[in-house]
Amino acid sequence: MTTETNSVLDTVKEAFAPVTEAFTKLQNLEVPEAAREFVKKQAETAKVRAADMHAGSEKVTAAIETAVAGSVSEAAKISRNIQQAFYQDAEAFFAGIDKLASAKSLSEAAQIQSDMVRARGEVFVSRAKATTEYLGKLVTEGAKNAQDNFAKVYSKTA
């Protein structure tokens, strides 16, 4: 059997000899200079693009960070203003109760009540106007900041 086995192995070796020889030559095959230069240039281009993409993503992150920080600051400011308004309203209400309690007649109480309602209406109109102006300013500044941030981000990539 060993003679037969050796014979079969020799036959297989002979059948694959051209493939083995081609593979051996392929391993020793020289890559042309132009092909190596092409691969080097493509690798360098990819490296530069990766660096540009990283820089662009850093700019986008910074723009988002700036926008979010500004939004948080404005939200805190709005919250403080609302708290202040609630406090002022409570003070005005209790001052009004105190005035009403000091009224000596029904007509005097009606006058005090009328003055309080008018004063509260004026405060409401004043707050509504200030809020409208403030929100308009926020929208304008937000749009300008967004435009500036996108300009910074896309100026280099364009």
Side-chain angles (χ1 to χ4, degrees):
M1 275 198 170
T2 55
T3 310
E4 288 177 17
T5 306
N6 286 340
S7 164
V8 171
L9 284 176
D10 290 339
T11 306
V12 171
K13 283 182 184 178
E14 285 176 31
F16 283 99
V19 174
T20 305
E21 184 180 338
F23 185 69
T24 304
K25 287 182 181 178
L26 186 63
Q27 288 177 340
N28 296 328
L29 183 69
E30 277 193 40
V31 178
E33 179 69 25
R36 290 194 307 262
E37 286 301 315
F38 176 77
V39 170
K40 285 180 183 179
K41 284 182 182 179
Q42 293 305 314
E44 186 61 33
T45 300
K47 185 177 170 183
V48 168
R49 286 187 180 162
D52 286 347
M53 193 168 86
H54 177 69
S57 69
E58 286 292 323
K59 286 182 179 180
V60 169
T61 301
I64 291 169
E65 201 171 46
T66 300
V68 169
S71 296
V72 168
S73 174
E74 290 303 321
K77 189 185 298 184
I78 290 169
S79 177
R80 275 190 231 98
N81 288 341
I82 290 171
Q83 292 169 6
Q84 183 65 28
F86 280 144
Y87 180 71
Q88 288 171 349
D89 287 346
E91 281 185 320
F93 175 74
F94 291 120
I97 295 292
D98 191 40
K99 279 186 180 179
L100 276 174
S102 66
K104 295 183 179 156
S105 68
L106 194 55
S107 64
E108 188 180 356
Q111 183 60 46
I112 291 171
Q113 178 64 25
S114 174
D115 291 344
M116 283 177 23
V117 168
R118 187 179 75 260
R120 290 287 72 199
E122 289 172 359
V123 167
F124 177 77
V125 168
S126 172
R127 284 182 184 161
K129 183 179 175 186
T131 300
T132 302
E133 290 171 358
Y134 180 71
L135 290 176
K137 179 182 150 203
L138 277 182
V139 168
T140 302
E141 287 177 0
K144 184 176 179 342
N145 284 340
Q147 186 178 24
D148 291 347
N149 287 332
F150 281 121
K152 288 176 190 173
V153 169
Y154 290 111
S155 66
K156 181 165 180 148
T157 59

